[in-house]
Amino acid sequence: MRTGVWLVGARGSVATTSIVGALALRAGLADPTGCVTELPELRGPALPAFADLVFGGHDLVCTPLTKRAESLADAQVVPARLVAALTDRLAAVEDDLRPAPTGGSQADRADTLVRELTAFRERHALERLVVVNVSATEPVAAPHPAHADLDALRAALAGPDEVLPASSLAAYAAFTAGAAYVDFTPSTGARLPALAQLAARHALPYAGHDGKTGETLVKSVLAPMFAMRNLAVRSWSGVNLLGGGDGATLAEPAANAAKVESKQRVLGETLGYVPQGHTRIEYVEDLGDFKTAWDLVTFAGFLGTRMRMEFTWHGCDSALAAPLVLDLARLTAAAHAAGHSGPLPELAFFFKDPLGAPTHSLAEQWARLRDFAHRLHAGGADGPRG
């Protein structure tokens, strides 16, 4: 199944690492370590092969993709030998990267994106197209009356106001162009009633939000452990230190608040109560694309005995996120081909703040994902959903 992967923020670290990784896998230059869809429990004929993935996208910056890959190699995010071996293939992907539209009304910008997505699909004879948002985190969107109704939204987009944040405008364009949509960020994306109406009208699936790659991944394993052992978590505090473009974006208070809200939700929804403590995110430029998280958990056991645990997570954000971007593109394309539409709660395994998911337990999310993959490979027997 020839599948287009259109990346919003296509020249960023996560997007560039995803493209380099997919090209390396296609050329047999790397192993699929970190790609969940290559585990025996998920692998199967319904998923497009890595060789079937065709990359395009748009970004506000114009740095050549090869230069971005070389800078990531210098930072030890990707192996320099791969960048050198893939120079020609990266240059070919460059031909399908476009500047993010600016100026005019939001309707004008959406029309430009729809034309680019349609041309991309036709140019490469794509059977499916998935738009994946890996751009910078946005502040929480300001409410607007047009968010509640598709017809009102279309009318408002033609006016002078900025009705939709960029992530939601990308979702609007994706659905209008007949493409599925995945939001790997905590931005608003498709989480508006008017956009849900648009996706339903075109029978398109979508997934999100906020890729689960580090501290929250650990929380989603540990929090159910405390709940299942009936241990009372009294406090849970964390400090996240990160550099790179994401860190710089999260130095802005509004974007920082949106990210923290996404990270904290897992505790309250898993434990059934909110313990004391907060998660703090700080930008440390010297860390580059790497991040460190330190968490302190205090809890009480039998007879109120006080105890504590600490953990530290050191990781490379782009290297953790990129294989999941490829996984999500493959799974979403397969879900679309099988007739699924609307939000895909089965993909909650990948997200901090998943759409429509009843649980944040990683083990339960894994079981649901595994069952979903089995159904896809069996022919999508559960049929379409709206």
Side-chain angles (χ1 to χ4, degrees):
M1 179 168 55
R2 195 161 173 79
T3 300
V5 183
W6 185 271
L7 297 166
V8 181
R11 301 182 191 275
S13 296
V14 172
T16 303
T17 306
S18 300
I19 294 168
V20 169
L23 295 177
L25 290 169
R26 182 185 305 170
L29 299 175
D31 295 324
T33 304
C35 291
V36 178
T37 47
E38 285 300 291
L39 289 171
E41 295 91 336
L42 302 188
R43 190 169 59 236
L47 303 180
F50 291 115
D52 292 330
L53 301 181
V54 182
F55 291 90
H58 66 266
D59 205 319
L60 288 168
V61 302
C62 298
T63 307
L65 189 61
T66 51
K67 294 297 183 184
R68 288 292 294 122
E70 288 168 0
S71 68
L72 290 175
D74 291 341
Q76 299 183 319
V77 174
V78 299
R81 64 173 180 82
L82 291 183
V83 176
L86 298 169
T87 299
D88 291 344
R89 292 178 175 89
L90 289 168
V93 175
E94 181 76 35
D95 293 338
D96 284 306
L97 301 189
R98 300 290 182 266
T102 57
S105 69
Q106 286 202 305
D108 294 332
R109 280 172 259 161
D111 287 344
T112 298
L113 288 174
V114 170
R115 286 195 301 272
E116 289 174 347
L117 289 168
T118 302
F120 178 59
R121 184 201 301 271
E122 293 174 351
R123 187 161 58 250
H124 295 285
L126 302 173
E127 297 175 66
R128 300 290 165 187
L129 178 56
V130 182
V131 174
V132 184
N133 181 26
V134 285
S135 62
T137 298
E138 301 167 347
V140 175
H144 192 286
H147 292 171
D149 178 74
L150 180 56
D151 292 334
L153 177 62
R154 283 177 169 153
L157 290 176
D161 295 339
E162 294 293 299
V163 180
L164 293 177
S167 63
S168 299
L169 191 65
Y172 176 87
F175 295 151
T176 303
Y181 180 80
V182 175
D183 206 322
F184 203 75
T185 81
S187 301
T188 303
R191 283 185 293 186
L192 296 172
L195 295 179
Q197 294 168 24
L198 181 59
R201 185 168 298 182
H202 292 280
L204 293 164
Y206 54 95
H209 286 82
D210 201 4
K212 185 162 56 183
T213 60
E215 181 201 32
T216 310
L217 178 65
V218 180
K219 281 182 176 179
S220 68
V221 175
L222 292 179
M225 175 196 73
F226 284 110
M228 287 185 288
R229 290 295 299 268
N230 198 21
L231 298 170
V233 177
R234 300 181 60 86
S235 70
W236 196 315
S237 299
V239 178
N240 289 243
L241 308 175
L242 68 161
D246 196 31
T249 297
L250 294 175
E252 298 295 326
N256 191 298
K259 185 76 170 183
V260 167
E261 180 182 357
S262 174
K263 290 173 71 66
Q264 286 293 88
R265 187 169 288 115
V266 63
L267 292 180
E269 295 184 7
T270 302
L271 297 172
Y273 56 91
V274 179
Q276 297 178 32
H278 300 280
T279 295
R280 191 170 78 248
I281 302 174
E282 295 184 12
Y283 174 49
V284 181
E285 183 179 2
D286 188 59
L287 292 178
D289 278 276
F290 290 79
K291 62 183 179 182
T292 294
W294 173 80
D295 278 39
L296 170 65
V297 185
T298 62
F299 61 99
F302 191 50
L303 305 181
T305 302
R306 298 290 189 92
M307 292 168 272
R308 59 187 281 169
M309 75 164 295
E310 302 173 41
F311 69 83
T312 305
W313 175 276
H314 301 284
C316 177
D317 206 37
S318 299
L320 290 164
L324 306 186
V325 169
L326 303 180
D327 289 330
L328 286 162
R330 299 175 79 195
L331 286 161
T332 305
H336 189 194
H340 291 266
S341 65
L344 295 173
E346 296 89 348
L347 303 189
F349 178 83
F350 297 96
F351 299 109
K352 296 183 182 74
D353 184 18
L355 291 169
T359 177
H360 283 276
S361 166
L362 193 69
E364 293 179 34
Q365 291 174 345
W366 167 252
R368 191 170 189 183
L369 175 63
R370 182 195 59 213
D371 292 345
F372 182 58
H374 288 174
R375 294 197 304 274
L376 290 176
H377 297 314
D382 52 352
R385 293 173 319 197

